[in-house]
Amino acid sequence: SKQIAVPGIAESPVSFECKLFGVQSLPHNRSLVTGEVMHLHIRDDLIDENMHIDVDKLDLVGRMHGSGWYTTTRDRFMAPRISVAEWQARQKP
């Protein structure tokens, strides 16, 4: 670790060093944890020639709803971004 005195997991392709802002208790024995990322570590082989993260090599996994549901980013698609003004113009009949 560079800025926060915590041990890291050497096998992890990406890790964040974070400073805690707060913990808010939520219903059903849950908590919302907020913080600030102080430092990012990413394995060298996951950075492409343009200094961008190669998401295909990263092969991300995300946690979904409920108990035990996960998803991957292997089936990605792009959707064009529009401005607020463009969105508002589309709302008028």
Side-chain angles (χ1 to χ4, degrees), residues 11-63:
E11 294 82 12
S12 179
V14 178
S15 63
F16 299 95
E17 294 179 41
C18 300
K19 180 171 68 173
L20 179 67
F21 282 157
V23 178
Q24 169 115 22
S25 293
L26 299 174
H28 309 294
N29 199 28
R30 305 271 194 238
S31 298
L32 174 64
V33 179
T34 56
E36 177 182 3
V37 175
M38 304 299 291
H39 200 92
L40 163 70
H41 302 271
I42 186 160
R43 223 173 45 212
D44 289 343
D45 65 304
L46 298 174
I47 306 294
D48 69 17
E49 61 278 354
N50 296 316
M51 299 301 292
H52 296 150
I53 296 172
D54 186 331
V55 292
D56 290 326
K57 285 184 183 175
L58 191 54
D59 197 22
L60 295 170
V61 175
R63 185 170 179 184

Side-chain angles (χ1 to χ4, degrees), residues 59-74:
D59 197 22
L60 295 170
V61 175
R63 185 170 179 184
M64 300 295 286
H65 65 87
S67 176
W69 285 93
Y70 294 85
T71 187
T72 68
T73 57
R74 291 183 202 108

